[in-house]
Amino acid sequence: MRERRGFFAAGAPEVFRVFLVLGLTSFGGPVAHFVIFRREFVERRAWVGEAEFGHLLALSQFLPGPGSSKLGFVLGLLRAGWPGAIAAFVGFTLPSALLLFGFAALLPRLSGVAGVAALHGLKLVALCVVGYGLIGMFRSLCPDAPRRALALGAAVIMLALGHAWAQLLVVGLGAVGGVLACRGLKAGFEGDFVLPYGARTGALLLTTFALMVLCLPLAAGLPPGLVRYGAAFFRSGALVFGGGHVVLPLWQEALVAPGWIAPADFLAGYGAAQAVPGPMFALAAYLGASLPGAGGGLAGALVALCATFLPGFLLMAGVLPFWRTVAAHPVAARAIAGVSAAVVGLLAAALYDPVWISAVHAPSDLVIAALGFALLARWRVSAVLVVLFCAGASVALALL
């Protein structure tokens, strides 16, 4: 791939302004973000062509990490080099991270009947959004019987094993299953990427990722603090495939199971994340700020954010110089299809545990969740309105 230098740093302010606007206005989760990005960067601004965007989108889905944030990071990279990549990340993530950091500061003050009921309503929001996201992903990523079977098998394995590490197993089996079962798919590569670096830098980025993963067990033996917390968020970012919903069991295993964050606070933050624009993975700012001791607060939020997004960025930028060769191979196309189907199964398992188990305690909860789901699926209302409805209905019932 060609290299181009010189003008890159000068474009970083433009990249920041564009992504800041998107970070303030892009509601709806990663699927909606992909549509917005295509309209903004292919149709309106022509930063990349249709073929390039399609390959970047496929790569963002195939590699672990926050999908829309990885795509935005690379679009900034292609537009303005490394400064542009950082500008895209900061601009797109900053609004939601600040809002969720503020929610973490507000949460301890939400006491009494109304406060507890409002937090429970946010759990019901999580149930609505995950269910709605599951249906959309199933339709688009499991269009045939083999991929539906892979999704079902992934869900069964996750529910049977009940551990976050099983995600890696499920994704691996999905790739193998896709190679074996999706033989009708075609592969090819069109277009080109103009990168500010070559294959040597790509290999260095991939090596850095591998070394950091190998060091994770060492951090697990440290006492609770910023280093250990950062390692937990890095591990989650390195293992999660799919949207923000799929990271739930990983974060639950890493943060709730050790007792660092209460289960109710965890799901309340997830519900609040549905009301803010930008990437859902910015929830890491809330979770980091909620950690105990000196490892929480602002320092915890910053470490959690950087550690969550870093693995996906390293992998995305590292693989790009080699993607032409990989994407042209038919086996790779089938593996990507299998991984995508497995992600649907992971989301289905997360819908039941922990979302359903933690949110639905009475028939009234089910009614509120069903109405919230109808608002999303049938009337296509904003996620903000669903948050207001679920929280308001929960408070109203509690005060009756």
Side-chain angles (χ1 to χ4, degrees):
M1 296 182 184
R2 302 189 307 273
E3 294 192 24
R4 185 171 64 189
R5 298 183 177 91
F7 75 98
F8 278 93
E14 175 200 14
V15 171
F16 177 77
R17 288 193 300 269
V18 172
F19 274 95
L20 181 62
V21 172
L22 294 178
L24 289 167
T25 58
S26 297
F27 291 90
V31 175
H33 297 166
F34 294 145
V35 175
I36 293 169
F37 284 0
R38 181 188 174 278
R39 183 176 66 243
E40 186 71 23
F41 301 115
V42 177
E43 296 181 353
R44 183 182 174 193
R45 299 180 182 273
W47 284 10
V48 294
E50 191 75 62
E52 287 87 352
F53 184 84
H55 281 285
L56 292 175
L57 179 59
L59 182 58
S60 71
Q61 293 297 291
F62 182 63
L63 296 175
S68 59
S69 295
K70 294 200 303 286
L71 181 57
F73 178 84
V74 172
L75 287 169
L77 175 68
L78 295 176
R79 179 65 178 177
W82 295 112
I86 297 172
F89 164 62
V90 175
F92 191 54
T93 310
L94 186 61
S96 54
L98 289 176
L99 289 170
L100 291 169
F101 178 77
F103 181 71
L106 178 65
L107 187 62
R109 296 177 174 82
L110 296 176
S111 58
V113 175
V116 172
L119 293 178
H120 183 70
L122 293 178
K123 300 179 190 178
L124 297 175
V125 174
L127 180 61
C128 300
V129 174
V130 174
Y132 181 61
L134 175 62
I135 292 176
M137 290 178 67
F138 181 80
R139 288 173 176 170
S140 61
L141 300 180
C142 301
D144 50 43
R147 278 177 275 189
R148 291 169 188 164
L150 288 173
L152 177 61
V156 170
I157 292 174
M158 279 301 301
L159 291 174
L161 297 180
H163 293 285
W165 57 262
Q167 276 203 14
L168 190 59
L169 172 64
V170 166
V171 168
L173 292 176
V176 174
V179 171
L180 297 176
C182 303
R183 295 186 176 275
L185 295 179
K186 296 181 180 179
F189 186 92
E190 298 177 358
D192 193 13
F193 301 128
V194 180
L195 295 172
Y197 60 94
R200 182 176 300 178
T201 300
L204 178 62
L205 293 171
L206 295 176
T207 301
T208 301
F209 169 82
L211 291 175
M212 295 183 75
V213 170
L214 291 175
C215 290
L216 289 177
L218 299 177
L222 297 175
L226 282 177
V227 175
R228 186 173 175 186
Y229 296 154
F233 281 100
F234 186 92
R235 181 171 60 250
S236 299
L239 295 179
V240 66
F241 288 82
H245 315 303
V246 187
V247 79
L248 281 179
L250 281 173
W251 273 342
Q252 183 188 39
E253 182 78 12
L255 306 173
V256 178
W260 296 341
I261 296 179
D265 294 346
F266 175 75
L267 281 178
Y270 181 79
Q274 311 309 315
V276 301
M280 222 289 295
F281 278 80
L283 177 58
Y286 163 85
L287 297 174
S290 302
L291 290 168
L298 180 59
L302 291 173
V303 168
L305 275 173
C306 294
T308 297
F309 287 94
L310 181 59
F313 293 166
L314 288 174
L315 286 173
M316 192 80 171
V319 169
L320 266 180
F322 312 103
W323 183 243
R324 173 191 295 278
T325 302
V326 173
H329 201 289
V331 173
R334 299 199 297 268
I336 292 171
V339 169
S340 299
V343 166
V344 175
L346 293 176
L347 179 56
L351 177 64
Y352 175 72
D353 184 8
V355 178
W356 178 284
I357 291 176
S358 300
V360 178
H361 298 179
S364 59
D365 294 332
L366 189 58
V367 171
I368 294 173
L371 291 174
F373 177 84
L375 290 173
L376 282 172
R378 184 173 180 82
W379 290 289
R380 309 286 182 174
V381 304
S382 166
V384 176
L385 294 179
V386 176
V387 170
L388 294 175
F389 167 75
C390 291
S394 183
V395 171
L397 288 176
L399 295 178
L400 287 178

